Amino acid sequence: MEEKINEMKLDDYYQLDNQENGLSSILKRGFDIAFSIIGLVPAIPIVLVTSLAIMLESPGNPFYLQKRLGLMGKEFNVIKLRSMHLDAEKNGAQWANKNDNRITKVGHFIRKTRIDELPQLINVLRGDMSIIGPRPERKIFVDKFSKELSSFPKRMEVKPGLTGWAQVNGGYDISPEEKLDLDLYYINHKSLSMDTIILLKTVGVVLTGDGAR
């Protein structure tokens, strides 16, 4: 009898846990939709002006689509403003570094202020991404780093984000190991309060460029 009672309590716990996870997902998706719609209003004129600046410095399409891996490894096209020269990857895919000479002058500015990420509000609205989560990576890098870092695929257990713990605490040029540590910290501690902290830190990054090397 006691074992049955314990089993019932355990089942009730798992049922409650699943309900809470489901409710959290619904609330987060609702927030993502609302935030992306509201965010697109001021983002559109900023993106248009930035697009012109990009084309004046480096002729060519100011936007580009790039295949990334999202939740559970599902592939999607991420939308970004171009921060590098058109021939940036003529020698193949490369991991960005601190003094990357492929980045244009406008590119340095939009990376520092994260303006290059604004078109991804469309990805959020479509459901490819969330406002907050690990950055989505290209398959070539996921495959490479997964061989070197066994925990790297764990980053794809949550939906990738426009901003996140690694983005506001590391910047673009941190090592895969550093990025993984920060992303795993977020995954293991994610909560409404932590998401709020990340949003506030993101505002700080955008206004000051701090942490966005």
Side-chain angles (χ1 to χ4, degrees):
M1 176 66 75
E2 185 177 349
E3 289 181 358
K4 289 184 178 180
I5 292 174
N6 288 335
E7 287 177 2
M8 288 176 64
K9 288 181 178 179
L10 191 60
D11 288 340
D12 289 343
Y13 169 78
Y14 283 131
Q15 184 177 4
L16 178 61
D17 186 56
N18 288 334
Q19 288 174 347
E20 287 178 344
N21 287 335
L23 180 60
S24 296
S25 297
I26 293 172
L27 289 174
K28 185 159 187 174
R29 180 57 186 151
F31 171 78
D32 287 342
I33 293 173
F35 191 97
S36 56
I37 291 174
I38 295 171
L40 280 169
V41 175
I44 289 174
I46 295 173
V47 168
L48 290 176
V49 172
T50 306
S51 299
L52 178 60
I54 291 171
M55 290 186 292
L56 288 174
E57 180 184 9
S58 176
N61 194 336
F63 298 94
Y64 76 95
L65 301 179
Q66 191 175 72
K67 290 189 180 297
R68 301 285 180 99
L69 298 186
L71 181 65
M72 304 309 293
K74 181 181 179 181
E75 197 170 58
F76 70 97
N77 286 316
V78 72
I79 310 168
K80 296 192 72 174
L81 281 168
R82 180 168 56 86
S83 61
M84 294 186 177
H85 295 286
L86 286 175
D87 61 350
E89 295 199 329
K90 61 182 179 183
N91 297 318
Q94 299 177 48
W95 187 260
N97 56 67
K98 188 173 183 178
N99 299 309
D100 202 321
N101 58 14
R102 297 174 300 159
I103 303 173
T104 63
K105 292 179 180 179
V106 173
H108 278 292
F109 174 76
I110 63 176
R111 279 175 167 245
K112 188 173 183 180
T113 56
R114 301 299 170 93
I115 289 175
D116 63 322
E117 312 283 3
L118 289 179
Q120 287 166 56
L121 287 169
I122 296 174
N123 288 117
V124 175
L125 193 58
R126 290 171 53 181
D128 300 323
M129 298 173 62
S130 179
I131 293 296
I132 298 171
R135 288 295 302 153
E137 294 294 348
R138 283 184 279 180
K139 187 177 186 302
I140 186 172
F141 290 128
V142 171
D143 291 344
K144 179 180 186 297
F145 299 142
S146 294
K147 292 178 182 178
E148 302 169 358
L149 305 164
S150 60
S151 298
F152 201 82
K154 187 175 177 64
R155 299 172 69 257
M156 294 183 291
E157 291 182 5
V158 298
K159 191 175 287 189
L162 180 62
T163 185
W165 193 244
Q167 294 93 299
V168 298
N169 287 290
Y172 282 94
D173 58 342
I174 58 174
S175 69
E177 292 88 350
E178 291 172 312
K179 176 176 285 190
L180 177 60
D181 287 342
L182 291 167
D183 285 333
L184 292 183
Y185 182 86
Y186 170 74
I187 291 170
N188 293 327
H189 298 84
K190 64 182 186 298
S191 65
L192 179 60
S193 59
M194 189 172 189
D195 283 0
T196 302
I197 291 171
I198 292 171
L199 282 175
L200 292 175
K201 287 177 72 71
T202 300
V203 173
V205 168
V206 170
L207 294 177
T208 67
D210 184 35
R213 298 186 293 272

